[in-house]
Each structure stands twice: as structure tokens, then as C-alpha cells.
Amino acid sequence: MSTRLQGRDLLCLKDFSQEEILQIISFGDKLKLDAMAGKKERYLEGKSVAMIFQKASTRTRVSFEVAAFELGAHALYLNANDMQLRRGETIADTAHVLSRYVAGIVARVFAHQDLVDLAANSASPVINALSDLSHPCQILGDLMTIREKKAVLSGLRLAYVGDGNNVANSLLLGCARVGMSIAIACPKGFEPKDEIISMATDIATQNGSSVLVTNDPIVSVQDVDVIYTDVWASMGQEAEHEERVKIMRPFAINADLLAYAKKDAIVLHCLPAHRGEEITDEVMDGPHSVVFDQAENRLHIQKAVMALLLC
Ligand code: CP
Ligand code: NVA
């Protein structure tokens, strides 16, 4: 397979054009249909993929590992604590060495700079499996899910309600790229980074969509097609959990808030959910929720990402 994506790193969605994002999503759709028809094409036959994890994971780890297997590749799960990294080997040296062995490096890190350093020193593409700054594979899967449910992306309106975190940052860039309008509602002091908001606003303006950041959850969800939320304390912020819950209570997705969205609005959550905090059981298990289809699509989209980038 030869495309303009081959050999590229996937660190941040800002580095990908609308056309490239739609290409990845369409390929994810195809691979999903193929899998449903019992066809599994081995685009990465005989290759290996290193997966470095500095943080916990259920979906990302398992979906990447299964995706690699179904593409004919071998995935090596590497807990960063068990690597020489923990004993002082540099990220740069690790990248040089691993890329002598593997066709790609998938990495989940605390500091986004670690991904930048990995990519700068690896001969093989590096894929961001979540950093403190962003979660691009999540958002590619989310866009695939939204298009699957709504048939289009451009022109839709999405509200993200809660903490202005890594997922919010990538949603801002992903929605802006595909021409979706996005409203982010967070408590004061928990907004996404100014730099990301202004980058997303510029991209959205070029695509005829808009970016709104508000401290009012009701304003954000008025007549939207999609409501999205995530945990209030991300990995690494466990010590702030109790305080954050107090501050973010008014930003919970419950039936009352959902009533302000369009009647056929869908509800997404990247998971894991803290039920009873950012989302009620009623909404998470209710007819608007597509969270488990969303989780499934991580598998298909990451197959597409690896097949397109690593081949
Ligand atoms: N959504 C997501 O990335 O989940 P995990 O932390 O379980 O990988
Ligand atoms: N914002 C969350 C996402 C988990 C998939 C975190 O970083 O912990």
C-alpha cells in the first residue's frame, strides 16, 4: 500500500489535512466491513510493532494489540517501568534501538515531549497512544463513529462538557479539521490550552465551522448533534480527584442536560467512565449513548492507522 501517509508519525491531528483524516476514517470503515465479512487482510504481514506504555490502558492496549495481530503483525507490549528507560536510558537512545527492530512504535506517555523525542530519533513511525496533551487515535475513532451514526461530519455540531484535557484538545483539532462546529464547556480555569483553541479556531474558520469555549454547559449543548464527555481527573491527576469532582459537578451529563440537545443527539465518552460523576448511568446506558460502538471503532481505526502509516 503506497499513500502520502506512509512513513508519517501520528503525534497530533493538526499535522493531518482534512483529506488525510477522511482517508483514514474511510479505510477504517472498509476494514470494519471486511472484518464483518470475515475478511482480514494482512497488510503488515511479518512486521513487528513496539507498544510503550507509561500509563494504564484497557482499550488502547488491547485494540492496538488485536489490530496488529489481525493485520499479520506482532505487537510487543512494553511497560515503560520494565524497560531500561526507568534506569536512565534516554528516550532518544530507546527510539534509535527500537526502530532497528520494529516497523512502528506506539507510545502512551505522560509528557507529550517524550513522543516528540521518540519521533525525532526513530527511523520508524511513532503513533501517539495518549499523552498529557492529546489523544489523536481516540478522536479518529470518534469521528469514524460519528460519521457511522450521522452519515456526515461537516456541518454537525458537537459539545464537549467537562475538563479541558487531552481528549478535549484533540477533539478541538479533529472537529475543526473535518468542518464540525465544537463548543467546549468547562469550569473556569479548566479550559483547554489557549494555543490549541486558537489553532482550532483558525482551522475551523477555513472550513466554515466554529469553536466556542464557555463556562456554561447549557449554552454548549443547545441543539447539538453530539455530546461528549471524559473523566474529570485524568491519569496523573488522581490527587486532585476529590477537588475536581466538587468543581465539575454542574458539568455532569445527565438527562436534564441531554434534553437541550437535538432529539436524535448521540452521546460519546472515550471511556473509562466514572459513572455518577461526569455521566449518569441513565445517559450512559440510555438510547442516545454509543459509547461501546465508539470503543469498538478504536480497533478498526487503529488498523487503518497502522496499515496506512507503517506499510
Ligand atoms: N479511551 C482510552 O484510551 O482508553 P484506555 O485508557 O483504556 O486505553
Ligand atoms: N483524559 C483521560 C483519557 C483516558 C483515555 C486521561 O488522560 O486519563
Side-chain angles (χ1 to χ4, degrees):
M1 192 178 299
S2 172
T3 70
R4 285 191 300 134
L5 293 169
Q6 201 172 350
R8 298 257 300 272
D9 300 312
L10 171 49
L11 301 192
C12 179
L13 291 178
K14 76 169 170 17
D15 304 330
F16 290 77
S17 66
Q18 177 176 112
E19 187 197 0
E20 288 166 342
I21 289 176
L22 295 177
Q23 183 189 351
I24 296 170
I25 295 172
S26 295
F27 196 50
D29 290 338
K30 174 199 151 31
L31 293 175
K32 182 170 184 175
L33 285 173
D34 283 353
M36 284 161 64
K39 273 198 294 177
K40 285 180 185 153
E41 288 196 62
R42 297 168 71 85
Y43 291 100
L44 297 180
E45 182 73 55
K47 304 201 185 227
S48 294
V49 182
M51 309 199 312
I52 304 173
F53 280 76
Q54 294 179 356
K55 295 177 176 176
S57 171
T58 297
R59 280 143 290 270
T60 307
R61 175 184 174 180
V62 176
S63 55
F64 263 112
E65 206 162 322
V66 172
F69 172 76
E70 292 185 1
L71 291 171
H74 171 56
L76 295 105
Y77 170 75
L78 303 167
N79 182 325
N81 285 328
D82 299 332
M83 298 175 73
Q84 297 289 10
L85 277 169
R86 197 170 68 105
R87 300 180 57 252
E89 187 166 29
T90 65
I91 288 272
D93 290 348
T94 304
H96 281 296
V97 171
L98 287 181
S99 63
R100 298 284 175 113
Y101 305 138
V102 299
I105 301 175
V106 171
R108 169 167 285 196
V109 300
F110 284 95
H112 188 80
Q113 187 61 40
D114 282 359
L115 287 172
V116 175
D117 294 344
L118 270 176
N121 293 283
S122 168
S124 309
V126 172
I127 297 172
N128 179 353
L130 180 146
S131 71
D132 284 1
L133 185 68
S134 58
H135 198 4
C137 292
Q138 176 70 53
I139 275 50
L140 288 172
D142 299 341
L143 294 175
M144 174 178 169
T145 308
I146 294 167
R147 196 170 73 170
E148 204 172 70
K149 304 294 175 190
K150 297 284 174 193
V152 292
L153 289 173
S154 178
L156 292 181
R157 298 179 55 214
L158 177 146
Y160 173 93
V161 184
D163 181 28
N165 60 15
N166 44 7
V167 169
N169 288 339
S170 291
L171 262 179
L172 274 164
L173 296 170
C175 288
R177 272 284 184 243
V178 300
M180 285 173 65
S181 291
I182 176 164
I184 304 260
C186 327
K188 278 199 173 49
F190 292 86
E191 295 89 352
K193 280 186 186 309
D194 286 343
E195 185 193 331
I196 305 273
I197 295 171
S198 93
M199 207 185 292
T201 305
D202 289 348
I203 298 169
T205 308
Q206 289 159 25
N207 290 331
S209 59
S210 63
V211 171
L212 170 75
V213 179
T214 170
N215 303 123
D216 185 340
I218 294 178
V219 167
S220 74
V221 299
Q222 292 283 354
D223 292 322
V224 293
D225 303 281
V226 185
I227 298 186
Y228 198 120
T229 190
D230 184 17
V231 290
W232 291 337
S234 285
M235 288 180 276
Q237 298 173 332
E238 288 77 6
E240 299 168 30
H241 180 247
E242 213 174 309
E243 188 57 24
R244 283 171 164 263
V245 169
K246 279 190 216 143
I247 297 169
M248 299 202 197
R249 277 271 179 242
F251 293 79
I253 308 292
N254 52 34
D256 290 345
L257 192 64
L258 182 56
Y260 290 96
K262 284 192 180 154
K263 278 198 169 42
D264 62 351
I266 53 173
V267 174
L268 278 77
H269 189 315
C270 59
L271 306 181
H274 280 194
R275 287 168 174 262
E277 291 184 8
E278 75 277 0
I279 191 164
T280 59
D281 285 336
E282 186 186 11
V283 173
M284 176 118 164
D285 300 326
H288 297 270
S289 170
V290 297
V291 300
F292 298 117
D293 291 338
Q294 181 188 0
E296 176 187 333
N297 284 339
R298 297 290 303 283
L299 169 65
H300 307 296
I301 205 73
Q302 287 159 194
K303 263 190 192 170
V305 165
M306 288 195 288
L308 291 168
L309 270 56
L310 307 192
C311 270

